[in-house]
């Protein structure tokens, strides 16, 4: 079976962790966090990812365990005892009893080398498939970690952006309320204008409390991944973030790529191969085994019939074991193995379909995100212009205070939707790469360049 992942990936990742720890120590004084820095820290701090790494390291030992069966086994055994034997013979004048006190010693050095064992050969091939599955699963864990960090980061950014918009909205309503109060004091305004402004301000403050709680919860998720308090998060820079369609721009190409490169699907394929090897293992229960055996043994006073005798025995031979009948055990395990192959095949098909749906969702998210961002960019511009025109209208006497409050609300809504759209587009782009096995260090570094202050942090 052709391998797609290097064996011992978790061991390499653990060596990288030491470099990351040094890197993070010297960059601890950074003024803000970005996507790349949080991903780097999550690789050394996220408990789920560290668990996946340990699982991969454990699975790597399956190959040495299976390979060990092909090498000769050597054993040394020995015993020493103090014995007393009473011997009674029937003599011509009656029973004759003799007592012997002596020491017995036995030492043996044995060698056994397999010559033909189909079970062990199938076990080795199965171990190869299992290790390949473990490497693919660990690669999927890395893709998922990047997706989790990205999702939590953009969720926090969205909440942070909405908190900032809400604060600006409160400031605007506060200013409008003061203006209404001055106008009322001057006799050119109404009490209704003051009440409307105050009502909008109170509602914005209530929404601000909810948004602050959402921001705190989003940051808590990130903090749990890196296991430390967060620094201020660097926001997306619209000037740095290109709104481009995925390349290639065809959904079927991305789905085909996911079917061949997605680590989860590769792990399921390796699981199917391991299940097929299990059939070979169980079928070998009907086949003979052949071993080469060699032994050298020495003994003294081995038994009460050899008192006073020393033996030095050497033996070389071939041992053949031919199973004949085991009560139907082998046949039952073969049937069970065939059923498990079908289970693995259906799991692979279910995984393939699920990944296909997820790829379609994220591909559509990127495509729709482009239109979403562009539409709300225009909506925000229009809302700003409307607010400006409404204020001029109030000065001209053709608009009222309520019109300004509505224009402020529309502008805040457009800005929040624009922020969500940008984060939705960036996250869909990141997840699409993860689903097709392409969310590597280079891509994360490139995505990190979309933020306001470009980080020069790099992966080792």
């Amino acid at each position: 079976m052709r391998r797609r992942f290097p064996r011992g990936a978790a061991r390499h990742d653990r060596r990288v962790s030491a470099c990351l720890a040094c890197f993070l120590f010297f960059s601890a004084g950074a003024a803000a966090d970005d996507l790349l820095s949080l991903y780097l820290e999550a690789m050394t701090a996220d408990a789920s990812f560290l668990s996946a790494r340990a699982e991969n390291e454990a699975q790597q030992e399956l190959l040495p365990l299976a390979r060990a069966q092909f090498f000769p086994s050597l054993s040394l055994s020995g015993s020493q005892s103090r014995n007393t034997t009473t011997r009674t013979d029937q003599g011509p004048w009656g029973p004759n009893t003799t007592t012997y006190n002596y020491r017995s010693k036995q030492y043996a050095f044995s060698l056994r080398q397999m010559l033909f064992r189909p079970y062990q050969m199938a076990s080795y091939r199965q171990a190869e498939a299992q290790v390949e599955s473990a490497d693919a699963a660990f690669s999927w864990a890395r893709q998922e970690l990047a997706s989790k960090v990205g999702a939590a980061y953009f969720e926090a950014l969205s909440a942070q952006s909405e908190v900032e918009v809400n604060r600006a909205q409160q400031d605007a309503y506060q200013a409008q309320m003061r203006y209404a109060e001055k106008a009322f004091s001057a006799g050119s305004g109404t009490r209704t204008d003051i009440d409307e402004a105050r009502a909008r301000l109170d509602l914005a403050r209530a929404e601000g409390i909810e948004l602050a709680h959402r921001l705190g919860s989003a940051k808590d998720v990130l903090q749990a991944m890196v296991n430390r308090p967060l620094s201020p998060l660097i926001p997306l820079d619209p000037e740095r973030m290109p709104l481009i369609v995925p390349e290639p721009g065809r959904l079927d190409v991305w789905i085909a790529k996911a079917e061949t490169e997605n680590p989860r699907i590769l792990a399921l394929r390796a699981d199917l191969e391991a299940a097929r090897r299990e059939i070979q293992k169980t079928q070998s229960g009907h086949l003979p085994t052949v071993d080469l055996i060699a032994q050298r043994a020495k003994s003294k006073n081995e038994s009460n019939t050899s008192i006073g005798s020393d033996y030095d025995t050497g033996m070389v031979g071939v041992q053949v074991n031919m199973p004949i009948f085991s009560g139907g055990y082998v046949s039952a395990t073969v049937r069970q193995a065939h059923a498990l192959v079908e289970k693995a095949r259906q799991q692979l098909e279910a995984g393939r379909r699920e990944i296909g749906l997820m790829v379609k969702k994220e591909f559509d998210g990127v495509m729709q995100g482009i239109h979403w961002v562009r539409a709300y960019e225009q909506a925000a511009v229009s809302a700003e212009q409307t607010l400006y025109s409404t204020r001029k209208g109030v000065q001209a006497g053709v608009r009222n205070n309520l019109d300004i409050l509505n224009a402020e609300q529309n502008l805040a809504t457009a800005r929040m939707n624009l922020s969500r759209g940008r984060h939705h587009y960036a996250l869909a782009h990141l997840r699409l790469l993860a689903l097709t096995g392409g969310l590597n260090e280079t891509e994360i570094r490139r995505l990190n360049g979309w933020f306001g202050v470009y980080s020069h942090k790099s992966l080792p």
Side-chain angles (χ1 to χ4, degrees), residues 334-348:
V334 170
R335 292 193 300 270
Q336 184 184 58
H338 277 286
L340 293 176
V341 166
E342 181 61 22
K343 174 186 175 182
R345 183 181 292 111
Q346 295 304 325
Q347 287 178 331
L348 172 59

Side-chain angles (χ1 to χ4, degrees), residues 208-231:
I209 296 173
E210 180 181 354
L211 292 173
H213 175 72
R214 177 189 164 197
L215 175 59
S217 298
K219 287 187 174 182
D220 287 342
V221 174
L222 273 176
Q223 288 180 178
M225 293 182 188
V226 299
N227 197 30
R228 67 162 177 84
L230 294 178
S231 299

Side-chain angles (χ1 to χ4, degrees), residues 151 198 201 429 452:
R198 180 177 288 111
L201 177 60
H429 190 86

Side-chain angles (χ1 to χ4, degrees), residues 95-149:
N96 184 19
T97 301
T98 306
T99 300
Y100 301 92
N101 294 310
Y102 62 95
R103 293 180 181 273
S104 294
K105 299 179 181 179
Q106 295 93 29
Y107 302 99
F109 181 77
S110 303
L111 178 146
R112 179 181 291 270
Q113 171 63 55
M114 62 159 287
L115 299 179
F116 179 71
R117 287 191 184 181
Y119 183 91
Q120 272 71 23
M121 298 173 67
S123 294
Y124 182 78
R125 297 302 179 190
Q126 185 182 52
E128 286 186 320
Q130 290 171 332
V131 170
E132 182 173 354
S133 174
D135 286 336
F138 182 62
S139 178
W140 178 241
R142 294 189 67 164
Q143 303 282 326
E144 280 197 315
L145 177 66
S147 295
K148 283 169 53 181
V149 172

Side-chain angles (χ1 to χ4, degrees), residues 24-44:
L24 294 172
F25 175 80
F26 288 109
S27 33
D33 287 320
D34 59 13
L35 179 63
L36 179 57
S37 66
L38 292 174
Y39 170 68
L40 287 173
E41 292 190 62
M43 287 181 64
T44 62

Side-chain angles (χ1 to χ4, degrees), residues 131-180:
V131 170
E132 182 173 354
S133 174
D135 286 336
F138 182 62
S139 178
W140 178 241
R142 294 189 67 164
Q143 303 282 326
E144 280 197 315
L145 177 66
S147 295
K148 283 169 53 181
V149 172
Y153 189 85
F154 289 122
E155 174 65 19
L157 284 185
S158 292
Q160 180 174 284
S161 175
E162 292 181 17
V163 166
E164 292 170 355
V165 171
N166 178 267
R167 288 172 181 168
Q169 195 176 16
Q170 290 185 46
D171 291 341
Y173 289 155
Q174 183 74 44
Q176 190 63 29
M177 188 175 70
R178 288 195 297 266
Y179 175 81

